[in-house]
Amino acid sequence: MQPLELLECCSPLVSQPLDEGQAVELARVFKALGDPVRLRLFSLVASYQGGEACVCDISGSFDVSQPTISHHLKVLKEVGLLTSERRATWVYYRVVPETLSQLSGILADPAEAAT
C-alpha cells in the first residue's frame, strides 16, 4: 500500500467520517509523528534551508545514536512524509509536499477555508 493512498480523495474530517481503511492509514501517519524524536526530525528537515537536510547535519541535534536517527527517518519515509536521495556516502531528506497538503486538507475546517 502506498503512503496515504486511501486519503487522496478524503474530505476534511469535519465534513465526512473516515471509513475504516482511511482511518487505519491516517493513524499510521499520526503514529509516525507521535514520537517526539520523529516529530523533531520532520520539523528539522521541513525547516532546513533549501528544503532538504543531510542526515549528517541533523544527527547532532539529538541525544540518540545515528542508527536510531536512521530508524526514525525510515519510519517517516515509510508513511510518505519524507523522501530521500543518496549522494556519495550521505543521505539527504526532503519533505513530501503532497503529503503535507493531503494532511492539511484532511484536518482543515471547511468553514474556515471558505472565509
Side-chain angles (χ1 to χ4, degrees):
M1 181 181 310
Q2 294 296 321
L4 294 180
E5 176 181 314
L6 299 172
L7 302 177
E8 291 179 12
C9 63
C10 290
S11 299
L13 290 174
V14 296
S15 297
Q16 177 180 329
L18 296 172
D19 67 31
E20 184 177 346
Q22 292 166 329
V24 167
E25 190 60 27
L26 188 56
R28 286 181 62 232
V29 175
F30 286 129
K31 184 177 180 180
L33 289 173
D35 181 278
V37 173
R38 285 195 289 265
L39 185 57
R40 282 190 58 219
L41 277 169
F42 183 72
S43 176
L44 275 170
V45 172
S47 63
Y48 215 77
Q49 187 173 8
E52 75 177 5
C54 176
V55 70
C56 61
D57 294 329
I58 57 179
S59 296
S61 302
F62 297 89
D63 193 23
V64 295
S65 68
Q66 203 288 316
T68 300
I69 296 293
S70 292
H71 167 74
H72 287 306
L73 290 167
K74 177 184 170 193
V75 170
L76 292 169
K77 277 184 59 178
E78 287 174 345
V79 299
L81 290 167
L82 295 179
T83 187
S84 67
E85 179 183 343
R86 179 171 290 282
R87 298 182 197 152
T89 58
W90 297 109
V91 178
Y92 289 79
Y93 290 88
R94 179 179 293 278
V95 170
V96 178
E98 298 83 10
T99 304
L100 283 181
S101 181
Q102 289 172 359
L103 283 176
S104 64
I106 290 165
L107 296 173
D109 182 350
E112 288 182 15
T115 58

